[in-house]
């Protein structure tokens, strides 16, 4: 009995070049003088136009057919499938936001309205203030000449969404909008999150079926905790349930991109779990995670063709690491057969090496080994220190 073709082998999108070649072959078989068609020939130009039109249609047709299968749908087709079949809303990318402290060491008084100021981080990201206030002038003691600076804290939001808009603590240090005598810094990091991966969307769709079960399998808890329509908060992006005992208790850890979430958000998730995922005679315990801060110190060797400064390389590495840390599961990656997981050193090294293709060597001095994690632990990125070495390409 002949084997059946795989679905993937049937979902083939023909390119413009392939369509054009087939059209010429067909024209030649009909006796048309295709070899005499020069550049600019009307018939040849028409074939190019039709090939491009058909290639666009091919993309639509293949995408539409693939959209009927969860494993093969991509892009907007996957989002439509997730919503219409599984009632899953794909979380959008978020804008990094944090507080910035303005310090006035001059004599000017500034009334700041929301949207007045533009800030820039060391990696080039731009942020606008969403709150305002009055920044008073510095006070000068005429007897001693000492200056007492004045400060104003404003909330800022990145102009672009996604992890690329993230900035480490202390790196939003430039005022694009000029205020004489005023400097700025952000005491805490700003973290943006990319739109969740397509594989995460597929898993969320699979988990949705579990929520419909009368007996509430573990995937139902995960599904509800991530569903902002049910919880009323989009703070949760990772969940890990554990069987806590043999007496009907379930322990569920929930966390966000930065690890732990606020108590109000935790309360919302708990209420949703009880209402939508808990069968009779079962007691769920929904708890936050414990952040395990992991500073990263490393040396990087890269070819000078990377065309970046050392500060730019470190900023890009920090952004890549922040995205990787935010995607790791609660309790770390668990190797089958082990009771607990870890943040593996190899994951850190691979992330740094993959920041630019010109990076060819990475030596990590901290952490020195894999970071062991308990069931409720989440590894969060600490300070990143990178010693960057540039090497001229041979």
């Amino acid at each position: 009995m002949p084997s059946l073709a795989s679905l993937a082998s049937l979902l083939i999108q023909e390119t413009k070049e392939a369509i054009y070649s087939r059209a010429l072959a067909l024209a030649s078989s009909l006796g048309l003088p295709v070899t005499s068609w020069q550049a600019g020939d009307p018939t040849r130009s028409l074939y190019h136009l039709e090939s491009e039109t058909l290639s666009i249609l091919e993309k639509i047709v293949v995408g539409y057919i693939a959209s009927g299968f969860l494993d093969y749908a991509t892009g907007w087709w996957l989002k439509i499938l997730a919503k219409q079949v599984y009632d899953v809303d794909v979380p959008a990318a978020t804008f990094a936001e944090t507080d910035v402290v303005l310090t006035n060491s001059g004599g000017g008084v500034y009334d700041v309205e929301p949207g007045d100021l533009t800030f820039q981080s060391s990696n080039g990201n731009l942020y606008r203030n969403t709150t305002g206030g009055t920044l008073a002038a510095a006070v000068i003691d005429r007897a001693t000449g000492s200056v007492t600076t004045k400060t104003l804290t404003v909330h800022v939001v990145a102009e672009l969404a996604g992890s690329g808009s993230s900035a480490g603590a202390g790196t939003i240090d430039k005022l694009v909008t000029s205020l004489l005598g005023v400097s700025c810094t952000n005491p805490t990091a700003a973290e943006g999150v990319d739109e969740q991966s397509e594989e995460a969307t597929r898993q969320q769709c699979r988990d949705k079926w579990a929520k419909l079960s009368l007996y509430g399998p573990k995937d139902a808890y995960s599904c509800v905790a991530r569903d902002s329509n049910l919880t009323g908060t989009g703070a949760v992006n990772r969940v890990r349930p554990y069987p806590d005992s043999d007496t009907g208790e379930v322990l569920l850890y929930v966390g966000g991109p930065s690890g732990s979430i606020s108590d109000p958000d935790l309360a919302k998730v708990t209420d949703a779990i009880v209402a939508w995922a808990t069968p009779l005679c079962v007691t769920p315990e929904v708890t936050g995670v414990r952040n395990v801060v992991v500073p990263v110190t490393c040396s990087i060797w890269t070819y000078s063709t990377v065309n970046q400064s050392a500060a730019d390389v470190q900023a890009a590495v920090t952004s890549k690491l922040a995205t990787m840390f935010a995607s790791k599961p609660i309790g770390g990656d668990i190797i089958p057969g082990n009771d607990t997981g870890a943040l593996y050193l190899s994951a850190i090294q691979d992330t740094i090496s993959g920041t630019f293709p010109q990076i060819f060597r990475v030596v990590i001095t901290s952490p020195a080994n894999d970071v062991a994690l308990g069931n409720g632990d989440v590894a969060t990125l600490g300070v990143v220190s990178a010693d960057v070495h540039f090497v001229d390409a041979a």
Side-chain angles (χ1 to χ4, degrees):
M1 180 178 178
S3 59
L4 295 176
S6 67
L7 180 59
S9 67
L10 300 176
L11 296 173
I12 299 174
Q13 179 184 331
E14 292 287 6
T15 65
K16 172 187 173 181
E17 291 74 16
I19 294 172
Y20 180 70
S21 295
R22 291 190 182 185
L24 289 182
L26 179 60
S28 180
S29 68
L30 295 175
L32 297 179
V34 296
T35 56
S36 66
W37 296 345
Q38 302 299 314
D41 185 281
T43 306
R44 178 174 173 171
S45 299
L46 180 62
Y47 271 48
H48 275 294
L49 175 62
E50 290 181 343
S51 298
E52 184 168 355
T53 302
L54 289 174
S55 68
I56 295 172
L57 181 61
E58 275 274 306
K59 183 177 181 180
I60 296 173
V61 170
V62 171
Y64 173 73
I65 294 173
S67 71
F69 306 91
L70 185 59
D71 287 335
Y72 295 96
T74 59
W76 279 104
W77 292 113
L78 177 59
K79 295 179 183 179
I80 294 170
L81 176 67
K83 179 60 179 177
Q84 298 302 319
V85 177
Y86 300 91
D87 196 25
V88 166
D89 293 299
V90 178
T94 64
F95 294 83
E97 55 185 291
T98 188
D99 288 334
V100 168
V101 178
L102 296 165
T103 301
N104 190 359
S105 58
V109 177
Y110 302 99
D111 291 320
V112 178
E113 297 291 335
D116 279 354
L117 305 179
T118 300
F119 303 84
Q120 187 175 37
S121 64
S122 58
N123 60 0
N125 292 331
L126 297 178
Y127 305 81
R128 298 296 293 270
N129 66 306
T130 59
T131 62
T134 299
L135 179 58
V139 178
I140 302 177
D141 188 325
R142 296 189 181 277
T144 64
S146 62
V147 178
T148 302
T149 60
K150 297 296 183 178
T151 62
L152 172 66
T153 300
V154 296
H155 195 71
V156 301
V157 178
E159 292 192 346
L160 298 177
S163 62
S165 66
S166 299
T171 61
I172 304 178
D173 53 6
K174 180 180 179 181
L175 258 168
V176 179
T177 306
S178 179
L179 297 179
L180 189 64
V182 178
S183 59
C184 64
T185 189
N186 57 312
T188 58
E191 294 190 10
V193 180
D194 293 326
E195 181 178 280
Q196 74 177 19
S197 67
E198 293 188 344
E199 190 49 48
T201 297
R202 294 186 182 98
Q203 187 58 51
Q204 193 174 357
C205 292
R206 295 185 183 100
D207 291 346
K208 192 62 178 283
W209 295 122
K211 195 183 75 172
L212 304 178
S213 168
L214 178 64
Y215 301 102
K218 68 175 185 178
D219 290 343
Y221 298 108
S222 300
C223 177
V224 171
R226 288 192 180 97
D227 193 332
S228 59
N229 291 326
L230 298 179
T231 62
T233 174
V236 175
N237 78 327
R238 40 189 165 182
V239 186
R240 191 161 235 169
Y242 293 92
D244 194 37
S245 72
D246 296 327
T247 58
E249 296 180 5
V250 174
L251 180 60
L252 186 74
Y253 289 104
V254 295
S258 300
S260 59
I261 62 175
S262 68
D263 289 341
D265 285 332
L266 185 62
K268 292 178 181 179
V269 174
T270 301
D271 291 343
I273 290 291
V274 172
W276 297 98
T278 306
L280 296 175
C281 304
V282 171
T283 303
E285 179 184 350
V286 184
T287 185
V289 298
R290 183 177 72 91
N291 288 357
V292 177
V293 180
V294 182
V296 176
T297 303
C298 63
S299 294
I300 298 172
W301 282 262
T302 177
Y303 290 115
S304 54
T305 52
V306 70
N307 291 326
Q308 304 283 329
S309 67
D312 290 338
V313 171
Q314 173 159 323
V317 166
T318 301
S319 178
K320 281 282 189 179
L321 287 172
T323 301
M324 184 273 286
F325 271 70
S327 68
K328 285 298 178 182
I330 296 170
D333 296 306
I334 300 177
I335 296 175
N338 292 354
D339 294 328
T340 56
L343 172 67
Y344 289 97
L345 195 61
S346 58
I348 299 176
Q349 183 153 6
D350 289 346
T351 300
I352 297 173
S353 299
T355 304
F356 294 108
Q358 291 86 355
I359 293 176
F360 63 87
R361 184 171 186 244
V362 174
V363 175
I364 299 174
T365 53
S366 177
N369 301 293
D370 299 332
V371 180
L373 298 172
N375 288 344
D377 291 344
V378 166
T380 58
L381 183 62
V383 176
V384 177
S385 300
D387 185 15
V388 182
H389 305 270
F390 294 98
V391 178
D392 291 334

